[in-house]
Amino acid sequence: MQFDPLFRNPHLATIAANFWPRPDSRRRWPVKSVVIETEPGVRVLVQEQRPEGKPNGEIVLVHGLEGSSEAGYAQSMAHAALERGYAVLRFNLRGCGGDGGLTLSNYHAGQTSDLLTVLRERVRAAGPPMFLIGYSLGGNVALKLTGELGEEARDLLAGVCAVSVPIDLAACAAALERPSNYLYQDRFVRRLKDRIRRRHTQAPHLYTLEHLPKIRTITDFDNCYTAPLFGFGTAANYFRTQSSNQFLERIRIRTLVVQAKDDPLIPFEVFDHPAFSQNPHLRLEAVEHGGHLGFLSRRRPRFWLDHLLLDWVQSHDRQRAVRSTNFG
């Protein structure tokens, strides 16, 4: 499915997509808010929508850094998927969505246990096929989980997609520190600081405010908060151990990675990884333009990414139907 970008400037593509109006699926398909306890004292919010009649399958969406199930890309994807007959579950990372009061713990870029619990519960309830789509940081979580599971992923998932995904956290943190990316870094850092201030009111012994004045970058934040809170020690060790690039060779189910070569937040060089040429289960769909989670098309459909992903999902259904016919 060829992409004709509406914007060729990567920053314009990134910013425009963030503010572009998205279709509202809630009028036609009501949202059911489901709270799932993933471990003692930890609960996450999942926004569920179901099509009329029996769904063709279920698609789980995972948002990016300081996002939620209300992100624009999740809203338009949900609308497109429901139109094609798929149930959609928009998964909120730990502490995201709603008022953040479901748990005292924060999330991090490699935290896969909550998502694994939700997937297992959904497969028990609904059965296959189940598809997983992660965006940006959520894509890192999705790829890391798929690699961690290896062959066991076949019991849970029919396929995985990751979009604009920071498979090398250190390289992407460094890219954020470029002067041209000040706008993005400042936005992320301000939101992360606000999160710590909110957490401080809930658990001042865990979330102290003393480090906030000196934090200027994502690396600063991860050194002061993420790494110590989760036992990684330093941001460098956190980036090294939680990047999904070290799990790509272990992926054993159909996996699609969609990436713009001009993404300002993710150096395209990180995809010069042997797994993309050596792992037959892994496919990289790279386009010249699109920015970070941009992918607005000059032609219809405007939200090119949604239809690319759904065509890929439906190709699995067609293959399954052929196998059923041949062996039925």
Side-chain angles (χ1 to χ4, degrees):
M1 186 178 181
Q2 188 173 4
F3 178 49
D4 184 11
L6 182 60
F7 304 107
R8 292 179 180 269
N9 180 293
H11 299 292
L12 187 54
T14 301
I15 296 169
N18 186 65
F19 293 102
W20 203 275
R22 306 280 176 154
D24 186 358
S25 61
R26 290 172 289 193
R27 296 179 182 178
R28 181 175 170 187
W29 300 284
V31 175
K32 178 182 178 182
S33 295
V34 182
V35 174
I36 298 175
E37 185 172 44
T38 58
E39 61 184 68
V42 175
R43 295 182 297 166
V44 297
L45 175 66
V46 178
Q47 302 282 16
E48 179 181 345
Q49 291 172 280
R50 308 193 73 80
E52 299 89 353
K54 183 179 179 181
N56 296 324
E58 294 195 350
I59 300 176
V60 178
L61 309 180
V62 188
H63 62 83
L65 178 65
E66 285 305 283
S68 74
S69 56
E70 297 302 312
Y73 49 78
Q75 291 187 41
S76 63
M77 181 63 186
H79 189 277
L82 287 159
E83 280 194 320
R84 297 206 197 186
Y86 289 88
V88 178
L89 296 96
R90 288 180 279 166
F91 169 85
N92 284 277
L93 294 167
R94 187 178 297 191
C96 298
D99 62 3
L102 295 175
T103 176
L104 289 179
S105 177
N106 278 348
Y107 65 92
H108 65 75
Q111 189 177 70
T112 57
S113 58
D114 293 340
L115 180 57
L116 177 58
T117 298
V118 170
L119 291 174
R120 283 174 171 165
E121 182 163 317
R122 289 310 309 160
V123 168
R124 282 195 297 268
M130 181 83 61
F131 297 90
L132 175 62
I133 301 176
Y135 299 86
S136 194
L137 181 142
N140 188 72
V141 175
L143 291 180
K144 181 172 176 282
L145 174 60
T146 308
E148 287 172 342
L149 290 172
E151 294 287 351
E152 294 179 25
R154 300 179 189 274
D155 298 330
L156 295 174
L157 295 165
V160 175
C161 302
V163 183
S164 299
V165 54
I167 62 172
D168 184 329
L169 296 174
C172 295
L176 264 175
E177 295 182 19
R178 296 171 184 166
S180 59
N181 285 333
Y182 171 80
L183 180 66
Y184 311 117
Q185 173 133 269
D186 181 64
R187 182 171 181 263
F188 285 138
V189 169
R190 282 189 289 106
R191 290 190 173 192
L192 288 165
K193 285 183 174 182
D194 287 343
R195 176 178 292 276
I196 294 299
R197 293 186 184 100
R198 293 193 302 271
R199 290 301 200 189
H200 178 73
T201 64
Q202 299 171 301
H205 60 293
L206 290 176
Y207 302 97
T208 63
L209 304 181
E210 60 183 305
H211 303 298
L212 292 185
K214 65 183 179 183
I215 292 176
R216 298 287 183 271
T217 68
I218 292 293
T219 302
D220 291 340
F221 181 87
D222 289 333
N223 263 319
C224 291
Y225 289 102
T226 309
L229 284 169
F230 289 99
F232 297 120
T234 64
N237 188 52
Y238 162 53
F239 295 155
R240 181 183 62 82
T241 59
Q242 302 307 301
S243 293
S244 59
N245 57 2
Q246 63 187 313
F247 297 90
L248 298 178
E249 293 96 337
R250 295 164 55 184
I251 289 175
R252 292 295 180 268
I253 60 173
R254 292 177 72 235
T255 300
L256 174 68
V257 175
V258 182
Q259 185 65 37
K261 295 181 180 179
D262 66 353
D263 189 324
L265 309 187
I266 303 176
F268 191 66
E269 293 76 21
V270 302
F271 296 96
D272 290 334
H273 191 289
F276 288 104
S277 59
Q278 297 174 9
N279 187 341
H281 304 284
L282 189 61
R283 170 187 159 197
L284 175 63
E285 179 77 19
V287 295
E288 295 295 327
H289 304 284
H292 187 73
L293 296 174
F295 305 111
L296 294 175
S297 175
R298 184 179 301 277
R299 298 176 292 178
R300 293 185 180 278
R302 180 74 72 199
F303 304 114
W304 169 85
L305 175 66
D306 300 341
H307 293 271
L308 173 77
L309 297 181
L310 285 168
D311 286 349
W312 185 85
V313 165
Q314 289 187 309
S315 71
H316 169 272
D317 293 339
R318 289 192 292 271
Q319 292 174 13
R320 186 178 57 164
V322 169
R323 288 194 298 268
S324 177
T325 300
N326 292 339
F327 296 99

